Amino acid sequence: MTDLPQDSRGRVAELHVIRAEAHDGPSERATEAQHAKGKLSVRERIDLLLDEGSFREVGTLRRHRASGFGLEAKRPHTDGVVTGWGRVHGRTVFVYAHDFRIFGGALGEAHAAKIHKIMDMAIAAGAPLISLNDGAGARIQEGVAALAGYGGIFQRNTRASGVIPQISVMLGPCAGGAAYSPALTDFTFMVRETSQMFITGPDVVQAVTGAEVSQNGLGGADVHAGTSGVAHFAYDDEESCLEEVRYLLSMLPANNRENPPVAESTDVADRRCEALLDLVPVDGNRPYDMHRVIEEIVDDGEMLEVHEHWATNIVCALARMDGRVVGIVANQPQSLAGVLDIEASEKAARFVQMCDAFNIPIVTFLDVPGFLPGVDQEHGGIIRHGAKLLYAYCNATVPRISLVLRKAYGGAYIVMDSQSIGADVTYAWPTNEIAVMGAEGAANVIFRKQIAAADDPDEMRQHMVKEYKSELMHPYYAAERGLVEDVIDPAETRQVLISSLAMLTSKHADLPSRKHGNPPQ
């Protein structure tokens, strides 16, 4: 550093010059290169994420102390990551954002220390943490010190889990061990074409397996949003992605000691939903779109679906009812008839756990014919994976309401928050069929001898199916035995659910004293 000015005004002027240099980044050329890739600069991203003028940066003047491989001659301020806090919709959040223009956003010792600091501040303040990821992984020149930096991030991700919301926004590459931090957070956003995540890159994959694949083909947004389930949301550009992050934050509490923010609703709480009478066919073999059912019930038809493109046979979404946030889990008859399989069980289980961690009531809509049969499912561990959803529901202490729209068969009925596993209130529509299995399958098992001995087996089978339905599958069978609280008019669904949620607002439930459970993996 040059000789310091000898008066306060001179030193303040010098401070402003240094801060301006740190704010602008390494060079205009580096910024242009970032824009040429279709990516925003780190400051542009933070400006889009946070309320205008609310960002307070920390660690602006931090520089690395490493030497060797030419590092001692290149010591830019910020060390490639911008950290600080600001507001989203007037509520405090903490953020760290990689600056790809500096060392490719690679993580070194000082870089990691800044992230550790802001994560500790977020946990202490009880406020959400958002990471804007655009980095090339560990800074190889710093060796094991960089790897230790990642270890500190993972440890804090785990400590913050279920305590404050953690959101990872992928805006560039995220390779190797760095990908495990987003995997530990509550939500992961990705941008198509510009963001990728993978443990081993295309070159290594080709060298080891011989398979040729592009970066996007290996770990792009659509791959992780639709195939692997690693990404919860995928968008076409950074602007819409960051706007949706803001929307998600508006539906989450600051921490696990608070309830989600309540919004003033203009949608009448006791509004009748006459359209529901036509949306859901009585015939259990006819599909329909569960999205339309949910949109008819929630405030203004608005919901934020999580994992929209993965495990589409189940819908998980955040929405509001009378201004209060609820988590919705629903079978989707348009996809695999709404059965539960390995991926659907995992998707719903994680969503239920998130809702329970952050005091979000859970409403479950059932139309489920059972678990998906097949050798692949059994060998893939459907028992183990299905148990994840069962465990998540049984462990949840938030208000829980379930509604049977149509089919609710066998073990899948039990797993989907039935009264027997702790749902606080359970309802059914007059179209419900709650049973061990479908009438055709049940008749074939129970009356197989009579059917086989009959002069006309087909006629006898149909007679026995009709008898089984009339005895054990009529719409009021479960209500008569206290397995549902009431059979309700579908048009009254919204007002019944809102009234029940209001009753459960002060629910308090304690789990047994323990270090932690041992959920199925």
Side-chain angles (χ1 to χ4, degrees):
M1 181 177 287
T2 58
D3 292 339
L4 291 172
Q6 296 304 305
D7 63 334
S8 295
R9 291 185 182 277
R11 293 197 180 188
V12 169
E14 182 181 52
L15 170 64
H16 286 306
V17 170
I18 294 172
R19 284 187 175 279
E21 291 175 350
H23 184 278
D24 292 341
S27 68
E28 184 63 31
R29 182 178 177 182
T31 303
E32 290 173 358
Q34 181 82 347
H35 288 162
K37 297 174 184 175
K39 301 195 295 183
L40 299 175
S41 71
V42 64
R43 306 284 176 176
E44 291 169 336
R45 290 165 173 169
I46 291 173
D47 287 344
L48 284 173
L49 173 66
L50 302 178
D51 295 348
E52 186 176 355
S54 69
F55 184 54
R56 179 65 180 176
E57 188 174 351
V58 295
T60 311
L61 305 183
R62 189 69 185 263
R63 301 200 290 183
H64 72 76
R65 299 173 293 181
S67 60
F69 306 101
L71 283 177
E72 63 277 2
K74 188 177 182 182
R75 300 178 62 232
H77 291 296
T78 75
D79 200 45
V81 64
V82 177
T83 58
W85 72 87
R87 292 188 298 274
V88 173
H89 302 301
R91 302 161 65 220
T92 298
V93 300
F94 289 79
V95 61
Y96 70 86
H98 299 132
D99 189 345
F100 194 83
R101 300 171 302 171
I102 298 175
F103 299 125
L107 180 139
E109 184 179 22
H111 181 120
K114 288 180 64 176
I115 296 175
H116 297 168
K117 173 67 174 179
I118 211 67
M119 295 180 79
D120 290 340
M121 292 174 70
I123 295 169
L129 174 72
I130 303 102
S131 62
L132 305 183
N133 297 270
D134 186 8
R139 197 173 299 169
I140 299 172
Q141 301 94 318
E142 295 195 32
V144 72
L147 296 180
Y150 276 122
I153 293 173
F154 303 156
Q155 191 269 342
R156 288 166 173 82
N157 284 141
T158 304
R159 185 152 52 91
S161 181
V163 178
I164 57 172
Q166 298 180 83
I167 299 173
S168 298
V169 188
M170 316 311 297
L171 302 171
C174 184
Y180 283 113
S181 179
L184 290 169
T185 60
D186 300 300
F187 299 97
T188 299
F189 289 72
M190 294 188 73
V191 177
R192 294 183 177 93
E193 301 303 323
T194 58
S195 64
Q196 303 89 26
M197 297 173 65
F198 36 71
I199 299 299
T200 54
D203 293 341
V204 176
V205 169
Q206 183 176 3
V208 174
T209 69
E212 291 188 27
V213 63
S214 66
Q215 288 196 347
N216 281 320
L218 181 63
D222 288 325
V223 169
H224 286 311
T227 303
S228 73
V230 170
H232 299 78
F233 307 96
Y235 297 95
D236 291 330
D237 55 77
E238 295 188 19
E239 290 85 355
S240 57
C241 178
L242 293 170
E243 183 59 36
E244 288 299 285
V245 173
R246 287 175 57 87
Y247 181 47
L248 172 60
L249 285 166
S250 74
M251 306 186 80
L252 299 175
N255 55 64
N256 64 339
R257 301 184 301 277
E258 298 182 7
N259 291 322
V262 178
E264 185 175 349
S265 176
T266 57
D267 197 345
V268 180
D270 60 357
R271 167 174 57 79
R272 286 181 62 81
C273 306
E274 299 289 347
L276 294 178
L277 296 169
D278 301 315
L279 282 177
V280 180
V282 174
D283 182 357
N285 293 319
R286 290 179 58 194
Y288 62 92
D289 188 357
M290 183 62 78
H291 292 109
R292 295 183 63 193
V293 174
I294 297 169
E295 290 166 358
E296 184 66 25
I297 295 169
V298 301
D299 288 357
D300 303 311
E302 293 183 359
M303 65 175 176
L304 178 62
E305 187 170 356
V306 179
H307 274 142
E308 179 182 0
H309 304 292
W310 181 60
T312 54
N313 43 321
I314 200 159
V315 176
C316 297
L318 293 172
R320 281 192 166 88
M321 299 186 69
D322 198 26
R324 298 184 180 275
V325 178
V326 296
I328 294 173
V329 179
N331 307 109
Q332 172 56 294
Q334 272 196 338
S335 178
L336 293 176
V339 297
L340 288 179
D341 60 2
I342 288 172
E343 291 186 344
S345 299
E346 289 189 331
K347 170 180 169 177
R350 187 90 195 287
F351 183 75
V352 168
Q353 288 174 177
M354 184 281 299
C355 289
D356 187 49
F358 295 116
N359 307 312
I360 300 173
I362 302 167
V363 177
T364 304
F365 296 130
L366 287 86
D367 191 346
V368 60
F371 283 94
L372 181 64
V375 175
D376 290 344
Q377 288 290 307
E378 296 296 343
H379 288 185
I382 184 61
I383 297 172
R384 176 167 51 88
H385 294 286
K388 294 178 183 179
L389 180 55
L390 179 61
Y391 188 99
Y393 269 124
C394 290
N395 204 47
T397 60
V398 293
R400 291 155 50 191
I401 300 174
S402 64
L403 171 66
V404 180
L405 279 63
R406 209 167 56 171
K407 299 185 298 293
Y409 294 164
Y413 154 65
I414 299 173
V415 167
M416 289 288 292
D417 208 18
S418 63
Q419 188 180 97
S420 61
I421 67 168
D424 297 295
V425 188
T426 55
Y427 297 108
W429 284 359
T431 47
N432 82 81
E433 292 183 356
I434 304 174
V436 175
M437 63 176 67
E440 289 77 8
N444 287 335
V445 173
I446 298 172
F447 307 113
R448 64 181 182 278
K449 291 183 179 179
Q450 294 95 315
I451 293 172
D455 294 334
D456 188 339
D458 288 337
E459 182 180 347
M460 177 62 72
R461 182 180 294 105
Q462 293 305 315
H463 174 73
M464 291 305 182
V465 166
K466 185 175 180 181
E467 181 177 329
Y468 183 84
K469 281 187 174 182
S470 65
E471 290 293 325
L472 297 177
M473 291 182 66
H474 62 80
Y476 308 103
Y477 184 86
E480 290 171 359
R481 285 152 182 79
L483 297 176
V484 298
E485 262 64 64
D486 199 6
V487 178
I488 65 172
D489 179 350
E492 298 175 354
T493 299
R494 174 175 165 83
Q495 63 190 73
V496 168
L497 292 179
I498 287 176
S499 173
S500 301
L501 287 165
M503 175 273 294
L504 290 166
T505 299
S506 58
K507 175 187 175 182
H508 177 76
D510 290 320
L511 292 172
S513 178
R514 59 184 175 186
K515 185 175 181 181
H516 58 74
N518 186 23
Q521 297 296 324

